[in-house]
Amino acid sequence: MNRWEGLDEFVAVAESGQFTAAAERLGLSSSHVSRQIARLEERLQTRLFYRSTRRVALTEAGQTFLQHCQRLLDAREEALRAVSDLASEPKGLLRMTCAVAYGERFIVPLVNQFMAAHPQLRVEIELSNRTLDLVHEGLDLAIRLGRLQDSRLVATRLAPRVMHLCAAPDYLERYGRPHSLSELARHNCLIGSSDHWAFQQEGRELSLRVQGNWRCNSGQAVLDAALRGFGLCQLPDYYVLEHLRSGALVSLLEQHQPPNTAVWALYPQQRHLSPKVRQLVDCLKEGLAERPEYH
């Protein structure tokens, strides 16, 4: 005997409250639905419904059984969609957002590469340094940097993100090298989007407010000022690794380097992720892994 037999009929009757309405919903006859419910009750050796001439109501056992059946049927449908979506072509409109500089340099080229392979897809990208509300703005996907705060969203880690405190050798020759966090107050700090820099001390995360005579909300601009010897900077690895390797910048206070953050793909919570979002996230993860900045 098929152990799934009668479950669809049971859920349809329980949700509609009538055998006739359930039969119409399933495209079956009322007599067939009634027989399936009777056989199900016989197999379970318990009554699932109180019946009257106009309506049916769930028994206590029926209410418990309904909760489990709804989860089972949802999982069944999700499994079927997941398998069929493996061969689905990404199509339709995909709306996404990302920070401006990171998006221009890393994300948009990979999205363009993805679109070239999937001509039925349309993409709208909003590059913004504001944290947009995905649900309110009707966005399918956001690329976020650093630490996550919105627990309502599902997150997939795309790439690492390590923050480095560094300075040019000529700045250090003129003003000395800091050997402790307390010495940062004596240095000119090149401030980007925030004047609070992240560190760790004795296993604890620490946020220090820094000061300086230069500020710009652009990581590339901060990097240029640091390379010119204007002061200390704290920037993610993808800005500075090349210059640390060449010696144009020197890494500082590595023992206080903050715990690694990451580059994240975020999307609204839903039981089944659409093929266009799922495949684009996979493409971004693979593409970023191939970038020399992450090697």
Side-chain angles (χ1 to χ4, degrees):
M1 180 180 293
N2 183 356
R3 295 177 67 86
W4 286 86
E5 191 175 7
L7 296 191
D8 290 285
E9 291 85 350
F10 165 71
V11 171
V13 173
E15 291 180 346
S16 64
Q18 293 180 328
F19 280 85
T20 303
E24 292 177 356
R25 171 173 155 180
L26 297 174
L28 302 170
S29 67
S30 296
S31 59
H32 174 84
V33 172
S34 182
R35 283 196 303 271
Q36 289 294 88
I37 297 298
R39 290 171 182 169
L40 182 61
E41 289 180 322
E42 185 179 349
R43 290 208 313 273
L44 296 174
Q45 292 293 294
T46 189
R47 175 180 287 189
L48 299 173
F49 292 106
Y50 296 116
R51 296 164 173 81
S52 69
T53 54
R54 290 190 175 185
R55 195 165 181 84
V56 295
L58 287 165
T59 63
E60 183 179 356
Q63 291 173 348
T64 301
F65 192 53
L66 176 63
Q67 295 173 5
H68 291 280
C69 286
Q70 286 172 326
R71 288 198 293 269
L72 282 171
L73 296 182
D74 285 346
R76 182 186 67 182
E77 291 305 311
E78 185 173 0
L80 294 172
R81 286 196 302 268
V83 172
S84 64
D85 281 347
L86 290 175
S88 296
E89 175 72 12
K91 58 187 176 181
L93 176 64
L94 190 154
R95 301 185 68 240
M96 61 181 295
T97 183
C98 183
V100 178
Y102 192 84
E104 290 175 340
R105 182 176 171 186
F106 293 93
I107 299 300
V108 172
L110 292 174
V111 173
N112 291 341
Q113 176 182 319
F114 185 74
M115 283 197 68
H118 303 287
Q120 296 185 63
L121 184 67
R122 294 183 295 123
V123 173
E124 292 181 4
I125 308 174
E126 182 164 352
L127 297 180
S128 173
N129 292 330
R130 295 185 299 113
T131 301
L132 303 179
D133 186 308
L134 271 68
V135 177
H136 180 73
E137 300 284 346
L139 296 166
D140 300 293
L141 179 66
I143 308 302
R144 299 252 170 94
L145 312 174
R147 298 199 173 278
L148 300 180
Q149 297 179 342
D150 195 339
S151 60
R152 299 173 303 163
L153 303 175
V154 179
T156 297
R157 187 177 184 272
L158 298 179
R161 182 176 182 266
V162 182
M163 299 298 292
H164 293 268
L165 178 71
C166 46
D170 61 341
Y171 173 86
L172 298 176
E173 289 175 8
R174 283 180 285 138
Y175 299 103
R177 180 177 184 142
H179 297 285
S180 67
L181 292 177
S182 61
E183 293 180 33
L184 292 182
R186 302 204 299 265
H187 284 271
N188 191 45
C189 295
L190 307 173
I191 300 172
S193 57
S194 174
D195 59 0
H196 284 77
W197 288 0
F199 299 97
Q200 68 171 334
Q201 189 170 40
E202 298 177 351
R204 295 184 300 106
E205 292 187 46
L206 189 65
S207 177
L208 290 182
R209 186 174 184 180
V210 296
Q211 298 183 29
N213 64 2
W214 191 98
R215 182 167 190 163
C216 180
N217 64 340
S218 162
Q220 193 62 44
V222 173
L223 174 62
D224 184 74
L227 290 170
R228 294 175 184 273
F230 289 178
L232 308 182
C233 71
Q234 188 182 60
L235 287 170
D237 42 17
Y238 43 82
Y239 281 110
V240 300
L241 283 184
E242 173 188 352
H243 304 290
L244 292 173
R245 291 170 183 149
S246 70
L249 292 175
V250 177
S251 183
L252 304 168
L253 299 180
E254 293 179 342
Q255 72 274 24
H256 295 294
Q257 192 175 68
N260 292 1
T261 55
V263 180
W264 304 93
L266 279 79
Y267 36 89
Q269 290 187 9
Q270 48 194 357
R271 288 192 59 81
H272 187 69
L273 193 60
S274 66
K276 60 187 177 184
V277 175
R278 175 176 51 79
Q279 293 185 37
L280 176 56
V281 169
D282 290 342
C283 174
L284 294 176
K285 189 172 185 177
E286 294 171 4
L288 290 175
E290 295 176 357
R291 294 279 306 209
E293 293 87 350
Y294 291 110
H295 290 170

